[in-house]
Amino acid sequence: MDFTLHQMKIFLKVAELGSITRAAEELFLTQPAVSIQLRNMQDQFDVPLTEVIGRKLYITPFGREVEKHARSIVREMEQMKHQTMAYKGYLAGELKISIASTAKYVMPYFLSEFMNRHPGLDLTMDVTNKQKVIRALNNNEVDFAMVSVIPEKLKVNTIQLMKNTLCLVGASGKEYQIRKPKDLEDTSLIFREKGSATRGAMEDYLRLHEVDSHKQIALTSNEAVKQAVIAGLGISIMPLIGIRNDLKKGDLQIIPIKGLPITTYWQLVWLSDKELTPASKAYLEYVESQKQQVIDKHFSWFESFDPEKQISI
């Protein structure tokens, strides 16, 4: 047998997600690339690892046995790599972070320089909705989470990073007859899916101003919401951090309205009683000492944004 570590990692991700498409997205590969590597690994065995029933991919019983061995091999190889880096004097190990989907516009900037300083570290960053982020944190599956709303009923430590500003946005070129919150009642409103912090903020705003929305559309990502708004399908309350380029290009406009924008703060959180690894401790030290430099370098436009004048975009 002559399968590679790369093939095993791809097979493990496909086995975990049950989907070649989703595995490709998480691995930042194209779907054909994942399919080719999966087929190359299958060629090493005379017994099928997967089967397709009704257009859905399943791992066979034999495939599950291979999965167990592959996971063990990958784990051993990662440990060997970390030990090699440690002997060479590098900080070694893995940093696991789960972040709310909007935080993908923020978190990488608080990681890139740290990871460049420590080539012996591996990074796993899961981008999902708030509910799944909190679940991963609660189950001790990650070292840190990044959210804009502190989880209830969990004892956590936090570091406040930067503002998260949410504005009402619509397609450019359209004249919206919206002057007060009640005007939203007969307007098509586009929401994120249930469990999203952005959806929660939007629902809280409508509840606070006693708005009974009659036309609602729910979509599963900020990108999908943004494209729907640009197309004129409706309006939405969206995080400013993810629409800067669309405002600059003139695809979106901010609609002034009472009670908006809403400002929260992105928070780096971790369980209070968690035993931090050397890598986790080093990252906390980095964030505490460098967060303002990161904000000044990459987010000065955001910190100085004036929603009334819509400047500094």
Side-chain angles (χ1 to χ4, degrees), residues 99-109 125 127 146 221-223 241 266:
I99 66 173
S101 57
T102 309
K104 68 187 177 185
Y105 300 108
V106 176
M107 193 66 197
Y109 294 98
M125 186 168 69
V127 182
M146 188 179 186
S221 72
N222 282 306
E223 186 61 29
I241 195 74
W266 288 115

Side-chain angles (χ1 to χ4, degrees), residues 111-249:
L111 282 164
S112 58
E113 178 59 29
F114 176 77
M115 296 303 296
N116 289 335
R117 291 183 186 183
H118 302 288
L121 291 180
D122 289 329
L123 172 67
T124 299
M125 186 168 69
D126 182 35
V127 182
T128 182
N129 66 32
K130 177 193 168 187
Q131 281 186 343
K132 293 180 180 178
V133 170
I134 301 307
R135 189 182 308 136
L137 190 66
N138 188 40
N139 293 339
N140 198 30
E141 296 170 359
V142 294
D143 299 302
F144 301 105
M146 188 179 186
V147 293
S148 59
V149 179
I150 301 298
E152 299 177 0
K153 300 179 182 178
L154 275 184
K155 293 181 179 180
V156 296
N157 295 324
T158 70
I159 296 178
Q160 182 174 291
L161 297 180
M162 58 173 285
K163 289 180 182 178
N164 179 39
T165 301
L166 295 95
C167 303
L168 182 67
V169 296
S172 287
K174 295 193 67 172
E175 292 188 12
Y176 294 96
Q177 301 303 314
I178 299 171
R179 300 293 179 267
K180 57 187 183 299
K182 280 289 185 181
D183 294 336
L184 297 173
E185 291 192 336
D186 296 316
T187 304
S188 292
L189 298 179
I190 305 175
F191 290 76
R192 282 286 308 276
E193 80 283 7
K194 290 187 182 298
S196 160
T198 302
R199 182 190 179 104
M202 192 166 173
E203 290 176 335
D204 288 345
Y205 174 83
L206 297 177
R207 194 179 304 113
L208 176 65
H209 295 280
E210 300 180 341
V211 175
D212 185 14
S213 173
H214 305 304
K215 303 176 183 178
Q216 296 189 7
I217 301 168
L219 299 174
T220 57
S221 72
N222 282 306
E223 186 61 29
V225 171
K226 182 171 68 176
Q227 294 304 323
V229 172
I230 291 173
L233 199 57
I235 63 176
S236 186
I237 294 176
M238 296 194 68
L240 177 65
I241 195 74
I243 59 173
R244 179 193 184 190
N245 290 337
D246 306 281
L247 292 169
K248 285 183 70 174
K249 289 190 297 182

